[in-house]
Amino acid sequence: MSTAVLTRPAAPAPGAAPLLPVVGAGLAVPLATGGTAPYAQLDTAASTPALAAVADRVAEALPLYASVHRGAGYLSQVSTALYESARDRIAAFVGARDDDVCVVTRNTTDALGLLAGCVPDGGGVLVLDAEHHADLLPWQRRGDATVLATPPTVAATLTALADVLGRRRYALLAVTGASNVTGEALPLADVVALAHAAGTRVVVDGAQLVPHRRFSLADSGADWVAFSGHKLYAPYGAGALVGRRDWLDAGPAYLAGGGAVAEVTVEETRWVAAPHRHEGGSPNVLGAVALAAACEALDALPAGALEAHERALRARLADGLQALPGVRVLRIWPDSGEPTGVVGFTVTDADPGLVAAFLSAEHGIGLRDGRFCAHPLLERLRVPGGALRASVGVGTTGADVDRLLAGLAAYLSDGPSVAYAVVDGRWQPADDPRPLAGLAGADPAALARGAGCGGPAR
Ligand SMILES: Cc1ncc(COP(=O)(O)O)c(C=O)c1O
């Protein structure tokens, strides 16, 4: 009698396969050299594709969509329940404490702008110059911010923070959870301890942190966290500010309008408490549902799986880049802990915009060039003219990373195969044969008008 031996198929090594399915994986994009290539999305730090589970949840919710908080109709009740349940799910994802509040915003910029309006007058805000503009400009604009030059090591940065916090009382310290240029961060527990010892609260810019690492307000002790759905596999226009209630209840309503008020007379308005106080107008129900679905999907991953996936890909990326001649991987501090899957780098004597255009047009690779909405940090890193940035996520594989490394090696050895020119401030093939989509609603002429976070200044 023969005995059947059952063996469990070996789990793929971290980073070998996508960790979760994303919409659009493997989509073929046209090349300027002819033909197509599967799109290698290595710009997840800017925006991620939607998780398939998120798109499915939105499709399920769409037929149920109706006004929230207002209607007596059955679907209004369902939509209100969907929206408020999403709020709870989002809050739980970042380890909100029982008395924390979760305001659904448009994105991180919106969330930090909201909080900036609620910092008590005369408080003062402390921030490092290594921040993304979203975590710098709202404080700078208040007029009571101290922008601290980032010292060259983590140890020296903690000492400098302790020193400045000890000299006067700040209401708030705003700190990145992970840099959008290098993936690095200060040890958050130490930063929170320093700030709290000085009577200062802490807001974490979680845009680059919460999609990549487990984060908990309760465990870290941070007072607020801000993040964006479009960087968390839920690109449906919602983000969140989660944290302490008191300032948010006392501060001015962020969006003055319907839904934020208890009573209005011609003379005055009585506002409701947070979160609705700051959500005037019709809220983004589907955006909140999408963000909650993404939180649920990431929460359902086995402990450590996300970190192992991104660690493997980052190592492959950073090691591969460093092995190429003339490539320098950017770091803020030599003594920082393990960065997230974001790698900023420069190529000697190469214009970052040209390299990015080449990788897109000839290899079907999407990555970022420019100054990453972090101009002071790029000055500090001695690349005021800009750099390149590759970033990974749950849909990225080692094959995507290898294609970037091979494309860059080809650029360094042979240079571009077609001619490039700067058009409207951006490098592109001089006679670009690629159709810009052929999709309903995508007008190629509109591209030049979409400078957004910077155009030439990006
Ligand atoms: C660290 C960091 N903070 C804030 C933001 C702003 O995020 P959003 O554009 O979604 O408001 C970004 C965007 O890239 C970021 O990387």
Side-chain angles (χ1 to χ4, degrees):
M1 195 176 81
S2 67
T3 315
V5 180
L6 294 176
T7 52
R8 196 189 289 272
L19 192 58
L20 288 171
V22 297
V23 176
L27 191 79
V29 293
L31 300 179
T33 46
T36 62
Y39 190 56
Q41 157 57 303
L42 290 170
D43 195 13
T44 58
S47 284
T48 54
L51 285 178
V54 168
D56 291 348
R57 182 71 59 81
V58 170
E60 279 164 29
L62 203 49
L64 307 173
Y65 177 72
S67 67
V68 297
H69 301 144
R70 294 155 171 72
Y74 181 75
L75 289 191
S76 290
Q77 304 291 311
V78 172
S79 280
T80 301
L82 281 173
Y83 184 67
E84 293 300 333
S85 310
R87 188 196 302 287
D88 294 345
R89 194 75 204 65
I90 296 164
F93 178 65
V94 290
R97 295 151 289 228
D98 287 346
D99 51 351
D100 281 340
V101 63
C102 169
V103 185
V104 177
T105 63
R106 283 178 295 180
N107 48 36
T108 308
T109 305
D110 204 30
L112 293 171
L114 188 173
L115 184 63
C118 296
V119 178
D121 282 342
V125 180
L126 179 61
V127 62
L128 290 164
D129 67 0
E131 300 292 325
H132 185 283
H133 295 166
D135 196 32
L136 185 59
L137 308 190
W139 321 120
Q140 201 186 56
R141 192 165 63 176
R142 280 179 53 88
D144 60 356
T146 299
V147 182
L148 184 62
T150 304
T153 63
V154 166
T157 304
L158 293 175
T159 304
L161 282 173
D163 182 44
V164 176
L165 286 165
R167 270 192 262 136
R168 65 160 268 209
R169 170 106 188 266
Y170 287 92
L172 184 69
L173 169 66
V175 67
T176 191
S179 163
N180 68 310
V181 179
T182 67
E184 295 169 277
L186 293 170
L188 192 55
D190 295 354
V191 172
V192 171
L194 282 176
H196 284 179
T200 300
R201 293 189 178 186
V202 178
V203 58
V204 177
D205 172 353
Q208 302 293 343
L209 175 66
V210 302
H212 306 290
R213 294 274 198 281
R214 303 253 171 195
F215 168 80
S216 162
L217 281 165
D219 293 349
S220 68
D223 298 280
W224 292 274
V225 62
F227 54 101
S228 303
H230 74 101
K231 296 182 192 294
L232 189 68
Y233 311 100
Y236 293 83
L241 175 70
V242 189
R244 306 277 182 209
R245 168 175 284 285
D246 53 353
W247 288 8
L248 300 181
D249 274 348
Y254 186 54
L255 296 172
V261 298
E263 192 63 45
V264 179
T265 66
V266 176
E267 287 81 29
E268 63 176 359
T269 299
R270 196 153 52 79
W271 304 94
V272 294
H276 302 110
R277 182 186 193 82
H278 299 291
E279 295 180 358
S282 299
N284 180 359
V285 183
L286 294 173
V289 165
L291 180 49
C295 294
E296 208 174 300
L298 291 190
D299 261 346
L301 287 170
L306 179 62
E307 290 80 359
H309 177 79
E310 296 196 356
R311 181 179 302 124
L313 291 172
R314 187 188 204 278
R316 194 173 183 129
L317 183 56
D319 294 351
L321 287 170
Q322 255 145 192
L324 292 171
V327 175
R328 170 167 82 102
V329 170
L330 301 173
R331 291 291 292 244
I332 307 172
W333 302 289
D335 55 342
S336 58
E338 186 188 12
T340 59
V342 175
V343 183
F345 62 98
T346 56
V347 181
T348 304
D349 296 332
D351 184 311
L354 175 58
V355 177
F358 161 85
L359 289 167
S360 167
E362 301 190 29
H363 292 269
I365 294 164
L367 81 175
R368 176 84 191 265
D369 66 282
R371 294 193 281 166
F372 317 123
C373 301
H375 297 179
L377 175 58
L378 280 245
E379 286 278 348
R380 181 156 299 290
L381 294 172
R382 292 178 288 107
V383 282
L388 289 144
R389 181 186 73 190
S391 47
V392 303
V394 297
T396 314
T397 64
D400 296 325
V401 170
D402 292 350
R403 280 182 49 208
L404 169 62
L405 298 174
L408 203 49
Y411 179 90
L412 292 170
S413 58
D414 306 327
S417 317
V418 300
Y420 289 79
V422 177
V423 180
D424 295 324
R426 171 164 275 292
W427 282 97
Q428 57 188 62
D431 294 306
D432 198 342
R434 294 172 297 170
L436 189 75
L439 289 177
D443 173 7
L447 183 60
R449 300 197 296 273
C453 183
R458 67 190 172 273

